Amino acid sequence: MTTRVGVVTFPGSLDDRDAQRAVRLAGAEPVALWHRDKDLHQVDAVVLPGGFSYGDYLRCGAISRFSPVMDTIIEQAKLGMPVLGICNGFQVLCESHLLPGALTRNDSLHFVCRDQKLRIENTGTAWTRDYSAGQEIVVPLKNGEGRFVADEHVLDQLEAEGRIVARYLDVNPNGSYRDIAGITNAAGNVVGLMPHPEHAVEPLTGPTTEGLGFFTSVLKQLVNA
Amino acid sequence: MARVVVDVMLKPEILDPQGQAVQRALPRLGFAGIADVRQGKRFELELEGPVDDAALARIREAAETFLANTVIEDFVVRIEEEGK
């Protein structure tokens, strides 16, 4: 049976189609999920895509976190369903308290758009097992509020538990604490990532195809589950 | 109608690039002597009923769960006096 990966569309999502295409190129069936629908339509995993849900009003991801679909996703994520939040999706996961910390305005105050080098630090998560430890990849990054912050205690805990999934290399584009580009929850099923692997899945449209590993990883995870 | 104000500010240890940009612009505009600027948010909530303890407790809950992200922000809830 084909693995079904849901991609949520919130009002203001703009990378939902790209995420669906990445899911399809990885060999799974993308399922469009609507933010007002509590039903996850039998998906095996969920991607929260990038964009500007609810116009980033209040705080990025703060209003989406209370969408009906998020009630079900939060419940299922706690039961072990793989969830990947990219950019705005990462912000939604932090606002949902599925991941610690918060994302604030870039220290440069500028919106940043660049091809970003990352190092994959943790290959034990549902979304990174197709990478090798320490692997360096290049994927696009585009954000205005991508600066990961958390208190020292939380940062130390993330380091100690190996929960930093990816770090920025060469350039820290937004002032994220400890060069953090992505983190995971303790169980490894929920991952938040500020750069955009879904834009690096085809040679025609991406700087590399090195983002595809996130989407193939979850397939392997689900097949082995 | 009664009005309750919720002020939300980034915690002091969180960098506020918006406030810094404003602070840097002030001397250029001739406003000297301002050492620091922090930019926050103000919510004005008009209540349908009276501002009693129960209503204030609900507003504090709303501020804590939704209006502020307490990971990075502090908030203050206060009643705005009539006639001001």
Side-chain angles (χ1 to χ4, degrees), chain B residues 12-74:
Chain B
E13 66 271 24
I14 303 287
L15 176 75
D16 175 14
Q18 296 179 104
Q20 286 189 346
V22 173
Q23 196 242 326
R24 281 199 297 270
L26 284 167
R28 256 195 339 261
L29 301 173
F31 301 102
I34 296 167
D36 193 26
V37 177
R38 309 277 295 169
Q39 181 174 326
K41 293 186 192 114
R42 170 188 166 112
F43 299 88
E44 297 183 350
L45 312 179
E46 306 283 346
L47 300 200
E48 283 170 349
V51 186
D52 52 20
D53 287 350
L56 277 177
R58 290 290 294 158
I59 289 170
R60 280 200 193 92
E61 193 188 342
E64 184 148 14
T65 55
F66 186 47
L67 300 180
N69 176 349
T70 55
V71 174
I72 49 170
E73 293 169 328
D74 295 322

Side-chain angles (χ1 to χ4, degrees), chain A residues 38-62:
Chain A
K38 280 181 101 75
D39 192 345
L40 297 188
H41 302 275
Q42 290 92 47
V43 297
D44 305 293
V46 166
V47 176
L48 303 177
F52 299 86
S53 59
Y54 291 90
D56 278 353
Y57 291 132
L58 187 56
R59 296 177 305 278
C60 302

